[in-house]
Amino acid sequence: MVLDRALVLQMLHDAIGDDVDVFLVNLTVSDSVLPKVTVTLDGPQGLGIEECAKVSRRLARRIDEHYGEEAAYSLEVTSPGADQPLTDPRQYQRHIGRSLALKLADGTEKTGELLAATPEGVEIAEVVKVKTKKNILPAAFYPFGDIKEATVVISFK
């Protein structure tokens, strides 16, 4: 059996419905013997297991209705882990005040405190280490089009 990604995506949007606290980060549908549907969701304040389970049940019901109850597939609905890159502009807002590591399209890397997030990009106060001293540079704006990858820097201090 082959699951149509476009159809699963439409079913997923139906399963999420009008919930403004949930948005799609990523959807993959493998074309293996036992197809695996992997959905990554997020929200303005993050997502708990209850929200993921609710969307999972709704999506499974829609897939079963369309492909039949005997359809064999694996479904995983999850939220991004702390080590996952930020891929949607809506993910940045809740990380204001945290340290971000940016890899830019031109190959440079910046690490600093996220001061602001807009629909167009992010403002970062870059931290530069010179020997044993940390210098904080004036805030700079980076448009999303220039950001190749962004991750939250996790500190255990």
Side-chain angles (χ1 to χ4, degrees):
M1 176 183 81
V2 175
L3 295 177
D4 179 349
R5 185 186 184 283
L7 182 57
V8 172
L9 180 61
Q10 183 56 51
M11 291 177 192
L12 177 58
H13 285 300
D14 291 345
I16 293 171
D18 297 330
D19 192 342
V20 294
D21 291 332
V22 177
F23 57 85
L24 176 64
V25 174
N26 192 28
L27 167 67
T28 59
V29 180
S30 75
D31 57 357
S32 58
V33 176
L34 178 67
K36 180 174 183 180
V37 177
T38 305
V39 177
T40 306
L41 302 173
D42 208 345
Q45 305 306 316
L47 280 190
I49 194 164
E50 300 82 21
E51 291 93 345
C52 291
K54 180 172 68 173
V55 172
S56 179
R57 284 190 299 273
R58 290 176 179 172
L59 179 57
R61 194 170 337 142
R62 284 167 175 77
I63 292 172
D64 291 347
E65 286 170 0
H66 183 81
Y67 288 99
E69 297 269 337
E70 66 282 347
Y73 64 93
S74 168
L75 174 60
E76 178 182 2
V77 178
T78 185
S79 60
D83 61 337
Q84 297 295 308
L86 305 177
T87 57
D88 187 296
R90 295 172 286 187
Q91 290 179 286
Y92 289 80
Q93 193 67 39
R94 78 169 185 269
H95 295 292
I96 290 175
R98 289 185 171 157
S99 184
L100 281 190
L102 301 180
K103 291 182 183 175
L104 303 177
D106 66 6
T108 59
E109 295 185 11
K110 309 284 182 188
T111 300
E113 182 182 348
L114 176 61
L115 301 176
T118 70
E120 293 78 36
V122 294
E123 189 174 314
I124 302 280
E126 185 179 2
V127 176
V128 179
K129 291 181 184 175
V130 180
K131 295 188 181 177
T132 60
K133 191 175 169 189
K134 289 183 180 180
N135 292 331
I136 299 176
L137 301 181
F141 182 81
Y142 300 96
F144 287 119
D146 292 351
I147 300 172
K148 188 174 169 185
E149 183 178 277
T151 53
V152 175
V153 177
I154 301 171
S155 174
F156 294 101
K157 293 180 181 179

